[in-house]
Amino acid sequence: MNEPEKAKIACEESRTISLDLGDKLGIARAVTGLGNIQYDRGDLEGAKRLYGEALDNAKIIGAKKDISGALDNLGMVSEDRGNLELGKQLYEQALTIQKEIGDRAESAKTLGNLGDLLHQLGDLDQAQRSLEEATQAARETGSQRTEANALTNLAGVLFDRGKLNEARQRYEEAVPMQREHGTKGNLAYTLDAFGDLLVATGDLSGAEQRYKDAMSIPDGTDAAVSRTGLAMVLIEKGEASQAEGYVRPGLQ
């Protein structure tokens, strides 16, 4: 509901009660919530500390689901800090536990994260496999936000592999799912990426509409990305003066 301060108060109260009770699982889940808040704020060091606390408490009682979740979260922090190899190891550890306990919903999320990381590493073949498995697992478990994100990332991999028609199909699947189940940021990112693909295929009018749709999302993402894409389309259409109007605000 975009109310992180209220969420923080609730999680801190939960952690206090859990500490009083000696409830390790309660502590792990409360600090995971706090870690998520810090992660969303871009405080990666704070998020890492809290996710580490969650992992330590989950390990004490052998809560494998929560151990795998903490490993996955620590993998995201490592990935965002540029330590891709460590992130890959953490995702793989999480996946091993998730497969052991049959947690298909959580493995869908971790597979999606791993696929995105492999894409960054340039391992497009493995990235595609991981994201296809993530999409299937999310579909089987009804995890529609996870499926939308996996489809978006899969489309990006297919685009980079030159499979433009397949990439377009995945974006066409992902956009309505992002509208209904995703965050504003993920929807805007998907629309911008779809616009880039349509430019590559020569569909300038389609690309123009996707960039405009992304720009219309309040608090969605950095509008400079959408503005730059839209300006590029307008230049290709011979409308350079209009393109300047979209680019100039980003130079202020």
Side-chain angles (χ1 to χ4, degrees):
M1 295 175 67
N2 198 30
E3 297 186 62
E5 284 305 316
K6 289 183 179 179
K8 183 178 180 182
I9 291 168
C11 288
E12 287 174 341
E13 184 177 353
S14 174
R15 177 164 65 173
T16 298
I17 294 169
S18 298
L19 281 165
D20 289 343
L21 295 171
D23 179 359
K24 299 296 184 185
L25 184 59
I27 296 169
R29 293 184 177 175
V31 296
T32 294
L34 291 169
N36 292 341
I37 293 166
Q38 296 309 108
Y39 182 83
D40 289 343
R41 288 174 168 171
D43 179 7
L44 297 182
E45 189 58 39
K48 179 184 177 182
R49 176 177 53 79
L50 289 159
Y51 291 148
E53 185 180 341
L55 178 60
D56 291 341
N57 280 277
K59 280 183 173 179
I60 289 171
I61 58 174
K64 291 187 176 182
K65 179 181 176 69
D66 292 80
I67 291 170
S68 75
L71 289 167
D72 184 46
N73 288 332
L74 287 166
M76 290 192 301
V77 171
S78 296
E79 180 181 352
D80 287 353
R81 297 178 80 179
N83 194 339
L84 301 187
E85 285 301 330
L86 177 58
K88 182 172 179 281
Q89 291 171 23
L90 290 164
Y91 289 145
E92 289 173 344
Q93 289 174 36
L95 274 172
T96 297
I97 296 170
Q98 289 157 3
K99 289 179 179 178
E100 178 188 334
I101 63 177
D103 193 339
R104 191 76 167 142
E106 279 300 307
S107 67
K109 178 173 171 284
T110 304
L111 283 162
N113 290 337
L114 178 59
D116 179 57
L117 184 148
L118 290 168
H119 188 185
Q120 293 180 63
L121 287 171
D123 189 347
L124 301 185
D125 187 51
Q126 288 296 335
Q128 181 176 341
R129 277 195 215 125
S130 183
L131 289 164
E132 285 173 343
E133 188 177 349
T135 302
Q136 184 60 35
R139 192 166 292 157
E140 290 171 2
T141 57
S143 305
Q144 292 180 301
R145 178 177 291 188
T146 300
E147 183 181 353
N149 292 337
L151 283 167
T152 296
N153 290 331
L154 177 57
V157 172
L158 291 167
F159 183 13
D160 285 352
R161 299 192 75 178
K163 300 181 178 182
L164 303 188
N165 289 334
E166 291 182 48
R168 179 168 185 157
Q169 291 171 9
R170 298 301 178 271
Y171 280 131
E172 287 172 346
E173 290 179 67
V175 168
M177 294 187 73
Q178 293 285 16
R179 286 191 193 282
E180 188 171 357
H181 304 286
T183 65
K184 291 177 181 179
N186 285 343
L187 172 58
Y189 173 82
T190 303
L191 287 165
D192 282 331
F194 195 1
D196 293 344
L197 171 70
L198 292 174
V199 169
T201 61
D203 184 355
L204 298 184
S205 61
E208 181 178 356
Q209 187 59 55
R210 298 312 183 284
Y211 293 133
K212 286 181 176 178
D213 287 347
M215 288 172 56
S216 72
I217 300 169
D219 302 320
T221 189
D222 184 355
V225 175
S226 308
R227 288 179 176 277
T228 301
L230 183 55
M232 179 174 61
V233 169
L234 292 171
I235 290 170
E236 288 292 327
K237 293 173 70 176
E239 301 172 16
S241 59
Q242 190 177 349
E244 182 180 355
Y246 285 104
V247 174
R248 189 165 293 281
L251 302 176
Q252 303 302 319

